[in-house]
Amino acid sequence: MNPNLSTFTIADFGCSIGPNTFHAVQNIIDIVKLKHLKESQEDSRVAPLEFQVYFNDLPNNDFNTLFRTQPPSSKQEYFSVGVPGSFYGRVLPRNSIHIGNTSFTTHWLSKVPEEVCDKNSLAWNKNYIHCNNLIEEVTEAYKVQFEKDMGVFLKARAEELVPGGLMITLGQCLPDGVAMYETWSGIVKDTIGDCLQDMATLGVTTEEKIEMFNLPVYFPQVSELKGAIEQNIRFTIEMMEIVSHPLEAVQLSNNFITSMYRAILSTVIERHFGGSVVDELFRQFAKKLSEHPIDFEKCKKQMVYHIVLKRK
């Protein structure tokens, strides 16, 4: 650590509005403080640290809610700033942050691949609303978009981080050889698509709207993820490990799954279909889950990865 450094800067990308954001930031600060304490004991010239934290998310994020749920000022160890903007591009000045962090965000693409909504394309995803790996051309279109987005994401972070700075990424991917439709979350998204089809039959929405709707989400296989990262020569991979997901210890109920996916997908669905569709969609979804419960024991599992990158 630079002995002349007095301000240590952290950025959380895709921070959302939940308390997990603050837990992640506090964990980083605690580790930095321990390292700084050791250095200050060895060298009295080491200046005291102040922490600056940037919370980045899309402009439609409710930053007011985020900041209202911050720890009380008497317990807060950092100064905070909200930074609206897509992390698929630079949102902070060059060489301005020491540690970047993002959790469960990079599977969200910057856009849906155009081919999957094109009736004249082999990659038209007519009967599905996400990349479930059932159609090879659809999977390839999503994979290409993911690789482009990951390249842009890492390029931007490399410009924002100081030399030697760290980028910490936590997220989900698929084991090599496992398809999304074999996982319980893939089954959930396919079931939501089936509910939309039922609603079209009832006249609540239309087939045309469904055909033009795909989720901008892609879970790469682990080898694809590593390959996309290695293409960026500005970073070295300091650590890449598979960790356990908190949900592995949770007994998944129909109510829990319904509320979770409503929270995750409501904004995207409302933007495309209109707000009047959301309540009916998740009412039908809950009904389908009760009539046809998911056999979690037979589902293949996704993987949770923890990666630490170091800027060269």
Side-chain angles (χ1 to χ4, degrees), residues 159-179:
E159 292 175 348
E160 294 164 343
L161 283 162
V162 300
L166 301 178
M167 183 65 214
I168 303 168
T169 304
L170 185 69
Q172 279 186 302
C173 64
L174 294 166
D176 288 346
V178 172

Side-chain angles (χ1 to χ4, degrees), residues 176-306:
D176 288 346
V178 172
M180 193 66 198
Y181 68 83
E182 298 176 295
T183 69
W184 70 263
S185 61
I187 293 170
V188 164
K189 295 182 189 74
D190 283 334
T191 303
I192 291 172
D194 292 342
C195 291
L196 285 169
Q197 292 289 345
D198 293 344
M199 291 169 68
T201 302
L202 296 171
V204 179
T205 187
T206 65
E207 289 278 355
E208 290 75 18
K209 278 192 173 183
I210 298 170
E211 289 172 357
M212 297 301 293
F213 177 70
N214 275 267
L215 295 172
V217 171
Y218 180 70
F219 292 94
Q221 297 198 347
V222 65
S223 58
E224 296 173 355
L225 173 67
K226 188 175 181 181
I229 293 172
E230 289 175 338
Q231 288 180 28
N232 189 293
I233 61 174
R234 299 172 179 86
F235 287 103
T236 58
I237 299 177
E238 298 294 296
M239 182 181 72
M240 183 172 181
E241 62 179 356
I242 303 303
V243 297
S244 61
H245 193 289
L247 285 182
E248 290 180 13
V250 174
Q251 185 68 37
L252 297 174
S253 65
N254 290 344
N255 287 340
F256 179 82
I257 293 173
T258 302
S259 61
M260 177 173 65
Y261 275 86
R262 178 170 185 143
I264 293 170
L265 300 180
S266 283
T267 300
V268 179
I269 291 168
E270 184 174 332
R271 190 180 301 135
H272 185 84
F273 293 98
S276 60
V277 167
V278 174
D279 287 343
E280 178 61 18
L281 172 60
F282 285 97
R283 187 190 69 78
Q284 293 215 19
F285 175 61
K287 183 180 178 183
K288 271 193 188 294
L289 284 184
S290 65
E291 293 173 348
H292 307 285
I294 296 172
D295 189 341
F296 295 102
E297 294 298 322
K298 291 185 178 180
C299 294
K300 295 188 177 179
K301 293 184 178 180
Q302 291 179 258
M303 302 167 67
V304 178
Y305 60 82
H306 182 226

